Amino acid sequence: MVKPSVFVTRRWPAAVEARLAEDYDVVLNTGDKPLAAPELRDALKTYDAVLPTVTDKLGAEALDVPQARARILANYGVGYSHIDEGCARDLGLTVTNTPDVLSECTADIAMTLMLMAARRASEGERELRNGQWSGWRPTHLIGTKVSGKTLGIIGFGRIGQEMAKRAHHGFGMKILVQNRSAVDPKVLAQFNATQVDSVDVLLPQCDFVSLHCPGGPANRHLINGRRLDLMKQDAFLINTARGEVVDEHALAQALWFDVIAGAGLDVYDGEPRINPDLAGCDNLVMLPHLGSATREAREAMGFRVLDNLDDFFAGRTPRDRVI
């Protein structure tokens, strides 16, 4: 029996690549560099399945393949705003993602950013490494207490709920939620959380705001200059969602002029390019998109892609079909 042909756009954990090689006719992008639109078009013409990641910009240019051979984009990651939904539908492509398996680790990174920003951990490490620490003193790098404060969560899906669990049960935080649809009261009750009607209502009430909403055009610059002005002057913004959700120029201005106290980012608009306006902000913690970067999560993501491929090529509806 001929195995379906599969193209993997980036290198994956070795255990996952080994399983893929057993079950499919696999070609890997051994250079492990993001692919340009012409290369993605070639892959769609050549293989039965293409397995992209967030670094693959599958917009109208890349999906301009009227005679595509590929029938499924089995995405490695939960977000799929890098895939043009209309174009994928026009090509008759099935698109899947990998929910659940990265939720805990991404929430861990959001908590890490929140604690680092509040306690000025990045500033302290830079001071030590640069040989500038003069010793303990009562007024040195005074930060902000996290325990017992109010956390606003924008986007209350799996990752947002994991964040609420850590913040409420671990740090005694009060949880406010803004979500595009009504959240089941039983879910809110798990964290003694309150859902509010809008982002504008949520922001002025919070000491910390953590973003867990989808990316894409609908949420581009959801956090802009006007909304940063709504936040408390001593509040912090955390983003582990998608870079485009935050207007980075407006955020840099808010940090430079003390409109808010600080921020923590794991994602960037146009990454890996970093907006130079952000780079000089001492009250900003920056991580290189590490949300799901644990062995456990990255392997589980890959095996979840395999589950979706197995379903698809067996004639079943993939469990994680999003398009």
Side-chain angles (χ1 to χ4, degrees), residues 8 38 43 69 88 95 100 157 166 174 202 233 239 257 313 317-318:
V8 185
R69 175 176 171 179
V95 179
D100 302 321
R166 285 152 178 72
K174 176 184 176 182
L202 178 138
Q233 190 173 7
N239 187 17
F257 294 104
F313 287 112
T317 300

Side-chain angles (χ1 to χ4, degrees), residues 273-293:
R273 182 193 65 82
I274 301 299
N275 188 324
D277 293 337
L278 296 175
C281 298
D282 284 339
N283 50 348
L284 172 65
V285 180
M286 296 190 290
L287 296 178
H289 205 149
L290 297 180
S292 63

Side-chain angles (χ1 to χ4, degrees), residues 200-266:
D200 289 2
V201 170
L202 178 138
L203 293 175
Q205 302 183 59
C206 299
D207 304 301
F208 299 87
V209 176
S210 191
L211 305 177
H212 300 282
C213 51
N219 281 338
R220 180 165 182 79
H221 292 180
L222 179 75
I223 302 300
N224 52 27
R226 182 185 68 80
R227 284 184 164 147
L228 288 164
D229 284 341
L230 294 176
M231 294 177 64
K232 296 179 179 181
Q233 190 173 7
D234 57 356
F236 295 80
L237 178 71
I238 308 299
N239 187 17
T240 57
R242 283 287 181 265
E244 66 263 24
V245 174
V246 175
D247 180 337
E248 293 179 343
H249 176 73
L251 175 61
Q253 293 290 309
L255 293 171
W256 274 105
F257 294 104
D258 298 322
V259 174
I260 63 173
L265 304 178
D266 189 44

Side-chain angles (χ1 to χ4, degrees), residues 128-195:
L128 280 172
R129 290 184 181 278
N130 292 333
Q132 297 172 340
W133 186 39
S134 60
W136 185 91
R137 58 190 186 276
T139 58
H140 181 230
L141 286 179
I142 300 300
T144 298
K145 183 179 179 180
V146 173
S147 297
K149 296 295 183 68
T150 298
L151 170 64
I153 298 177
I154 298 176
F156 208 57
R158 297 173 180 88
I159 301 172
Q161 291 174 34
E162 288 291 341
M163 183 65 170
K165 180 192 298 183
R166 285 152 178 72
H168 179 66
H169 295 294
F171 291 83
M173 300 185 82
K174 176 184 176 182
I175 307 298
L176 297 182
V177 171
Q178 190 279 327
N179 196 60
R180 59 186 175 185
S181 58
V183 179
D184 186 335
K186 293 180 181 178
V187 173
L188 293 171
Q190 294 176 29
F191 320 106
N192 196 26
T194 301
Q195 183 169 4

Side-chain angles (χ1 to χ4, degrees), residues 299-310:
E299 287 186 357
M301 290 164 67
F303 290 129
R304 189 76 170 237
V305 172
L306 269 163
D307 289 343
N308 286 310
L309 282 179
D310 293 345

Side-chain angles (χ1 to χ4, degrees), residues 7-199:
F7 181 71
V8 185
T9 66
R10 300 301 295 265
R11 296 306 302 269
W12 289 7
V16 182
E17 290 185 348
R19 268 274 308 279
L20 274 167
E22 289 178 9
D23 297 342
Y24 296 95
D25 180 9
V26 174
V27 174
L28 303 173
N29 173 12
T30 55
D32 201 24
K33 301 291 185 182
L35 300 177
E39 297 169 298
L40 292 167
R41 287 199 300 269
D42 287 343
L44 289 163
K45 294 174 184 176
T46 307
Y47 302 96
D48 297 315
V50 174
L51 279 50
T53 73
V54 68
T55 63
D56 299 304
K57 307 307 178 186
L58 287 152
E61 183 182 2
L63 293 175
D64 185 14
V65 191
Q67 303 299 321
R69 175 176 171 179
R71 294 179 288 148
I72 180 171
L73 296 174
N75 188 57
Y76 183 94
V78 65
Y80 54 94
S81 60
H82 55 290
I83 300 171
D84 187 297
E85 182 172 345
C87 291
R89 291 187 187 280
D90 289 344
L91 288 176
L93 289 168
T94 293
V95 179
T96 61
N97 69 343
T98 60
D100 302 321
V101 293
L102 51 70
S103 301
E104 292 181 339
C105 292
T106 304
D108 288 347
I109 279 289
M111 285 298 305
T112 300
L113 286 168
M114 188 166 73
L115 291 166
M116 289 180 71
R119 298 303 303 271
R120 303 178 68 177
S122 287
E123 294 175 75
E125 185 182 30
R126 288 194 296 271
E127 187 177 278
L128 280 172
R129 290 184 181 278
N130 292 333
Q132 297 172 340
W133 186 39
S134 60
W136 185 91
R137 58 190 186 276
T139 58
H140 181 230
L141 286 179
I142 300 300
T144 298
K145 183 179 179 180
V146 173
S147 297
K149 296 295 183 68
T150 298
L151 170 64
I153 298 177
I154 298 176
F156 208 57
R158 297 173 180 88
I159 301 172
Q161 291 174 34
E162 288 291 341
M163 183 65 170
K165 180 192 298 183
R166 285 152 178 72
H168 179 66
H169 295 294
F171 291 83
M173 300 185 82
K174 176 184 176 182
I175 307 298
L176 297 182
V177 171
Q178 190 279 327
N179 196 60
R180 59 186 175 185
S181 58
V183 179
D184 186 335
K186 293 180 181 178
V187 173
L188 293 171
Q190 294 176 29
F191 320 106
N192 196 26
T194 301
Q195 183 169 4
V196 300
D197 292 335
S198 69
V199 173

